Amino acid sequence: MKMNSNDEQHRTVSFYRKNIVKATVFVVVSLFISAALLNIKGYLDFNAFAGFKLMMTQKKEPKFPDRCDVVEKQSHQVPLAQNRASRVNPSRLKPSTCPSYFRWIHEDLRPWKETGITRDMIEKASRTAHFRLVIHNGKAYVKRYRKSIQTRDDFTLWGIVQLLRWYPGRLPDLELMFDADDRPVVRSDDFRGQNKKVAPPLFRYCSDDASLDIVFPDWSFWGWAEVNIKPWGKSLEAIKQGNNMTQWKDRVAYAYWRGNPYVDPARGDLLKCNVSEHQGWNTRLYIQDWDNETKEGFKNSNLENQCTHRYKIYIEGWAWSVSEKYIMACDSMTLYVKPRFYDFYIRGMMPLQHYWPIRDDSKCTSLKFAVHWGNTHVDKAREIGEVGSRFIREEVNMKYVYDYMFHLLSEYAKLLKFKPEIPLNAEEITPDSMGCPATGRWRDFMAESMVMSPSEEFPCEMLPPYDLLALKEVLERKANLTRQVELWEDQYFHDLTNKP
């Protein structure tokens, strides 16, 4: 019987369909067999592979118990066994190299390199400390001495609890004192020359060249609830969206600053540089009234709405200012008024690469020249702004914040000459013990910044300490670049004055 063309076409399609089904079944079965073998070898988590669809559709939402009175006094730290990185063959993982500013950890701990740190030194640091922190067997304990400004101490401790969840079981036992006030207090001159005393090790958020305080990431990385600044990860996302709202070439071609001018005379002096009927310094400066902002729900202080100018000014307050990282993340060229203090990451940045240096003793003329230079070298000014922002986004993200904390505390622990002990009246701190009693934004920010699972990566690899020559070269390069800008500025105003 002769088949027509339709029957032949139908049989051909059926043949190919059957073969496609067989091939698909073969591929799927092969994948699962391969996954099972890899799981046995330790290269792959088979359960994670088999349930990848479920993992992608179900998102872990951080939350605390609804009833605070039922919170158990136990650590909720994620066990090391749950760390996926610990189940992957370590030989297949290569940690990244830490950013250059991590090298300053060695310099900050150098005063105790030869002597080590004794319990007596720790006790002397308690004079101004807000709390004593002990990490013992992977758990955190705190003994409080006095209340800090706002909730700085709470959110600093919250960050340390998250570090223990980020790298569970990896931090050694240690004991330290933490001062959550602004300015450093351990003066290096008190421990020089004939004086044989060794400085007490004291952690805080900033230091200066005349002090030995040990620099640690500030509380706002996990949120600053009092002024409605969200945890750093959320803030970065919002600022990124704000950056995209206004193209750089369309931004206002003036230097912008908004802040509290009453915390330090230097900021009051900055206001003299504002535009007036008689003088224009290429600036737009605004006073931030935090009391009024609080009443109005912070509607005029959203960080993502402050990326509309080509240039943004950073100036210290009573000490270093938390505003630094938010200003520098805007893609605007940061006009960095010569600082006295430094935080943990600014020492990894260079003038004319990441920011433009501004004189502290002649702010107005310096700002005027910086904006003039930027508006006549638009591409270069934009590049400086974007490189600075990229540094903040990529090298000061939360992964590196935790890595910095990890390496600093690990190196510090190596110097201890005594066995850390849990002090009397100390409390164990856990996500529930801290987050459950919190209310409002404080509770929300803790939930938003909670680490939900251990890191899948190892900590970055530390660079070795600077030798004296290399350190000298770094400092001289910064000074020379700053001096170069000052020479350009002097020449500009000289030519302006002598113009016929």
Side-chain angles (χ1 to χ4, degrees):
M1 183 176 181
K2 188 176 180 180
M3 291 188 297
N4 60 33
S5 60
N6 287 336
D7 291 336
E8 185 175 359
Q9 184 177 5
H10 176 75
R11 290 187 62 182
T12 301
V13 170
S14 299
F15 172 79
Y16 280 113
R17 281 178 178 172
K18 290 178 182 179
N19 279 278
I20 289 172
V21 171
K22 290 179 181 179
T24 302
V25 171
F26 175 78
V27 169
V28 172
V29 171
S30 298
L31 282 174
F32 273 90
I33 291 173
S34 299
L37 290 173
L38 287 171
N39 182 60
I40 293 171
K41 291 285 189 180
Y43 295 118
L44 180 69
D45 182 352
F46 180 77
N47 293 327
F49 176 83
F52 73 96
K53 183 176 181 181
L54 181 64
M55 289 171 63
M56 293 184 66
T57 56
Q58 291 185 353
K59 182 180 179 181
K60 292 183 179 179
E61 292 293 339
K63 62 180 181 179
F64 305 109
D66 294 328
R67 293 182 55 202
C68 290
D69 58 344
V70 298
V71 175
E72 297 178 353
K73 293 183 179 179
Q74 61 181 1
S75 175
H76 283 220
Q77 177 177 300
V78 181
L80 181 61
Q82 293 183 23
N83 188 343
R84 180 173 297 177
S86 70
R87 298 200 301 267
V88 180
N89 190 329
S91 65
R92 295 172 62 88
L93 293 177
K94 183 178 174 61
S96 61
T97 300
C98 298
S100 63
Y101 64 85
F102 279 58
R103 301 182 80 173
W104 287 95
I105 289 175
H106 302 295
E107 301 308 313
D108 287 350
L109 297 178
R110 192 176 294 278
W112 302 276
K113 184 177 180 181
E114 294 183 3
T115 63
I117 296 172
T118 65
R119 180 168 292 283
D120 182 58
M121 296 177 193
I122 293 282
E123 296 303 331
K124 288 179 180 177
S126 66
R127 182 176 60 86
T128 65
H130 289 87
F131 60 82
R132 179 196 303 260
L133 171 73
V134 174
I135 295 177
H136 184 70
N137 290 335
K139 299 179 181 181
Y141 302 86
V142 63
K143 183 173 183 178
R144 301 176 188 265
Y145 296 111
R146 59 194 181 101
K147 190 72 186 73
S148 74
I149 299 171
Q150 298 176 338
T151 49
R152 292 181 178 189
D153 51 356
D154 289 334
F155 274 81
T156 299
L157 290 167
W158 175 257
I160 291 168
V161 170
Q162 304 318 303
L163 172 64
L164 294 176
R165 291 164 64 86
W166 186 250
Y167 290 132
R170 294 188 180 182
L171 268 178
D173 288 1
L174 60 89
E175 187 171 342
L176 62 82
M177 294 289 183
F178 203 106
D179 184 334
D181 281 341
D182 288 320
R183 288 189 170 181
V185 296
V186 184
R187 313 306 295 173
S188 55
D189 283 346
D190 295 338
F191 306 95
R192 285 178 177 166
Q194 299 299 318
N195 196 334
K196 298 298 183 182
K197 294 189 300 182
V198 179
L202 182 64
F203 286 72
R204 72 176 337 102
Y205 309 120
C206 74
S207 191
D208 61 20
D209 292 338
S211 305
L212 301 175
D213 301 58
I214 302 169
V215 181
F216 195 83
D218 72 83
W219 73 95
S220 66
F221 283 98
W222 297 273
W224 189 359
E226 285 81 4
V227 294
N228 197 38
I229 292 180
K230 295 181 179 181
W232 181 228
K234 294 283 187 180
S235 294
L236 268 181
E237 291 177 10
I239 294 173
K240 182 179 179 180
Q241 294 176 4
N243 276 336
N244 295 332
M245 290 173 60
T246 309
Q247 296 297 316
W248 206 91
K249 62 182 178 62
D250 298 325
R251 295 187 180 190
V252 180
Y254 293 101
Y256 172 92
W257 180 81
R258 179 184 292 273
N260 181 356
Y262 308 115
V263 294
D264 190 75
R267 286 193 174 184
D269 188 48
L270 175 67
L271 288 185
K272 298 176 183 178
C273 307
N274 217 344
V275 61
S276 68
E277 294 181 3
H278 308 290
Q279 184 60 269
W281 298 108
N282 292 338
T283 62
R284 296 294 184 267
L285 313 177
Y286 304 90
I287 296 175
Q288 179 78 350
D289 186 340
W290 283 113
D291 290 337
N292 189 57
E293 277 297 295
T294 302
K295 294 176 184 177
E296 295 187 359
F298 303 99
K299 64 182 181 181
N300 298 314
S301 58
N302 288 334
L303 298 171
E304 59 270 27
N305 296 334
Q306 297 183 30
C307 298
T308 55
H309 291 66
R310 292 183 179 180
Y311 316 96
K312 293 194 70 177
I313 301 168
Y314 170 78
I315 185 170
E316 295 176 333
W318 177 241
W320 130 99
S321 173
V322 168
S323 65
E324 182 183 60
K325 57 184 174 289
Y326 309 108
I327 289 172
M328 299 200 72
C330 255
D331 280 355
S332 306
M333 185 169 83
T334 299
L335 310 184
Y336 205 98
V337 180
K338 183 180 179 180
R340 169 184 164 186
F341 304 96
Y342 54 79
D343 60 13
F344 73 100
Y345 64 83
I346 190 61
R347 291 174 287 182
M349 304 180 81
M350 278 286 175
L352 296 185
Q353 180 181 352
H354 301 102
Y355 62 89
W356 182 277
I358 298 295
R359 288 172 165 167
D360 61 337
D361 56 355
S362 184
K363 298 181 186 67
C364 298
T365 55
S366 196
L367 288 168
K368 182 172 183 175
F369 172 69
V371 173
H372 166 78
W373 184 92
N375 288 337
T376 52
H377 300 80
V378 175
D379 291 341
K380 185 59 180 176
R382 178 176 181 173
E383 180 184 344
I384 294 173
E386 291 178 348
V387 170
S389 292
R390 189 159 59 247
F391 175 91
I392 294 295
R393 290 192 300 269
E394 297 178 1
E395 300 193 33
V396 196
N397 57 35
M398 284 308 299
K399 196 274 191 216
Y400 282 129
V401 172
Y402 285 128
D403 280 7
Y404 190 93
M405 295 163 64
F406 174 83
H407 283 301
L408 174 59
L409 294 178
S410 297
E411 294 298 317
Y412 169 84
K414 294 176 184 177
L415 299 172
L416 298 183
K417 296 293 186 181
F418 63 94
K419 184 177 181 180
E421 298 176 353
I422 302 171
L424 288 174
N425 302 321
E427 59 174 313
E428 182 187 353
I429 51 174
T430 69
D432 286 350
S433 71
M434 297 191 71
C436 184
T439 58
R441 286 191 303 274
W442 289 259
R443 185 183 178 111
D444 292 341
F445 288 178
M446 284 183 174
E448 288 176 9
S449 60
M450 188 190 300
V451 169
M452 297 306 295
S453 61
S455 173
E456 296 186 358
E457 302 177 48
F458 290 125
C460 62
E461 287 187 344
M462 283 270 285
L463 293 167
Y466 286 109
D467 59 50
L468 292 179
L469 179 60
L471 182 58
K472 182 180 179 182
E473 289 176 349
V474 169
L475 297 176
E476 285 182 349
R477 184 182 173 214
K478 285 189 175 184
N480 289 337
L481 289 171
T482 299
R483 180 58 183 156
Q484 179 63 63
V485 171
E486 293 175 350
L487 291 173
W488 291 343
E489 182 182 323
D490 291 342
Q491 186 64 49
Y492 169 75
F493 283 107
H494 176 271
D495 293 345
L496 205 61
T497 302
N498 293 282
K499 186 179 291 186

